[in-house]
Amino acid sequence: LQQIVSNNDVDMIWGSFSSLLVTAGSAFAEQQGIPFLGVAFAYMAPHENNNYEWTYAPFPKSRDVAQGTKGLLNSLPEGDRPSNVGIWELNSGWGAEMSDLWEQVLSDEGYNVAFRGTYSNGTQDFSSLISQSQSADVEVVLGVPIPPDAITAMKQMKSSGYSPEHVQFVRGTDPDAWWSALGQDGAYASGVPGWVPGLTGGGNDEMHQRYYEKYDVEQGSILPVMVGASYNLAQVATKTVSVAGSTEADALRQALDSTEFETVIGTFTFDEFGMPTEGELVGPVGQWWEAHHHLVYPESDGEQAMDFKYPTPPWSER
């Protein structure tokens, strides 16, 4: 970033992906007084604790993810809903934040958090979490693993014969590497990647058409989830410059603080911390099916949306 800013006339910084990279970039932007837009950045604590003046996250935050999980489970008929939830807590700031919010939101809704256990990035052995979840009769497993750890965990669930009724690995299921590594064993799992094929309005049709033309792919092809998250960032930036009528830093910041944005992920304003105002965005849930994410919550008439496939069949029946 130092090199980019030194060698170019930079009015705004975009990026990156993952909270660790975004917070590193935002620290530079804050120091330089340059507006910064970051996606794939659900972690709320940096906004609340770092006195951000220039950092904005046009992306569902942890509280929106937790609400998306609740909405997904509540979309099931009342008699079919799970009782026991298990949280596999990543030993990190975001892991604790997301786990706390899941426990609070789901407990308030009447779900029983029957197990909560911790692990660290790079874990190669999930057998303890698996056995403890089995012992606690956990029906739904929630976590925020990095993709390699999520893939390892799913392989070990299969080898141990543990088949919860649903697995939601936020972040871990985002990339296409999930299906490349697991194939059909990755089906049924869900995530909340910010944008999911099946969302409509807010420029989604235009985004699809632009993608098909730019990359010369077949009409109707399903887009990777980060395409939507990134396009949404560019929509926010474009409207910000238009409202500001300038690329001067203070004018851009004032526009970000005062504008309502309608994008492919929804319609929202920014709160005083640079996060989407609470309650304005839903954390859209995508479920893996036939090699792609498909929107399963919220309900949508989009062609690439589908009904939530629940419960996940035992491994022997897939």
Side-chain angles (χ1 to χ4, degrees):
L1 283 173
Q2 180 66 58
Q3 183 180 35
I4 290 170
V5 170
S6 297
N7 295 335
N8 300 277
D9 185 16
V10 174
D11 300 304
M12 187 184 292
I13 298 172
W14 299 358
S16 176
F17 299 98
S18 91
S19 296
L20 286 174
L21 295 178
V22 173
T23 50
S26 70
F28 175 82
E30 292 289 330
Q31 182 184 47
Q32 298 294 315
I34 301 173
F36 180 97
L37 299 179
V39 294
F41 178 30
Y43 194 14
M44 295 167 56
H47 290 269
E48 296 168 336
N49 299 334
N50 293 349
N51 298 314
Y52 284 155
E53 295 183 59
W54 300 98
T55 300
Y56 297 82
F59 194 80
K61 306 302 281 186
S62 297
R63 61 193 178 195
D64 307 310
V65 173
Q67 292 295 329
T69 304
K70 181 185 79 172
L72 177 70
L73 298 180
N74 283 354
S75 72
L76 295 166
E78 191 167 352
D80 296 337
R81 294 174 190 170
S83 298
N84 295 330
V85 174
I87 299 172
W88 292 11
E89 179 181 339
L90 177 63
N91 187 17
S92 72
W94 183 44
E97 175 182 280
M98 195 66 253
S99 298
D100 288 344
L101 283 164
W102 267 326
E103 183 161 12
Q104 175 188 332
V105 168
L106 295 178
S107 295
D108 288 349
E109 196 66 14
Y111 295 95
N112 176 40
V113 178
F115 171 71
R116 180 169 167 175
T118 60
Y119 70 98
S120 299
N121 274 336
T123 293
Q124 297 296 310
D125 183 2
F126 287 89
S127 59
S128 178
L129 289 175
I130 290 170
S131 63
Q132 291 178 82
S133 296
Q134 285 178 305
S135 297
D137 194 24
V138 166
E139 299 156 280
V140 173
V141 172
L142 306 173
V144 294
I146 59 174
D149 293 356
I151 291 166
T152 298
M154 285 298 288
K155 289 179 177 178
Q156 292 180 9
M157 284 188 202
K158 181 179 182 181
S159 64
S160 68
Y162 178 45
S163 183
E165 294 186 356
H166 188 62
V167 172
Q168 184 174 100
F169 280 158
V170 176
R171 177 172 62 174
T173 58
D174 288 0
D176 290 346
W178 175 261
W179 195 268
S180 299
L182 296 170
Q184 290 296 333
D185 291 345
Y188 297 96
S190 75
V192 188
W195 176 86
V196 184
L199 288 169
T200 60
N204 270 283
D205 288 344
E206 179 186 45
M207 176 184 69
H208 280 80
Q209 195 57 43
R210 287 186 171 188
Y211 184 87
Y212 299 149
E213 292 172 358
K214 180 174 179 61
Y215 296 103
D216 193 25
V217 297
E218 184 180 350
Q219 293 279 333
S221 297
I222 298 178
L223 277 57
V225 294
M226 280 301 122
V227 171
S230 303
Y231 192 88
N232 142 78
L233 185 156
Q235 287 177 297
V236 169
T238 301
K239 185 165 185 179
T240 299
V241 173
S242 176
V243 170
S246 165
T247 55
E248 194 272 326
D250 284 331
L252 293 174
R253 182 170 62 177
Q254 184 175 359
L256 284 162
D257 288 338
S258 61
T259 303
E260 181 178 76
F261 298 94
E262 183 181 0
T263 82
V264 293
I265 70 169
T267 300
F268 58 93
T269 58
F270 288 112
D271 66 14
E272 67 271 27
F273 299 109
M275 301 186 288
T277 301
E278 186 170 6
E280 292 185 351
L281 272 186
V282 173
V285 182
Q287 187 173 30
W288 276 99
W289 189 250
E290 295 181 348
H292 297 287
H293 286 274
H294 293 269
L295 182 71
V296 289
Y297 181 81
E299 184 177 347
S300 168
D301 59 3
E303 291 183 6
Q304 294 165 348
M306 70 179 191
D307 292 334
F308 179 30
K309 296 185 181 300
Y310 180 94
T312 301
W315 292 107
S316 60
E317 297 177 14
R318 296 193 200 181

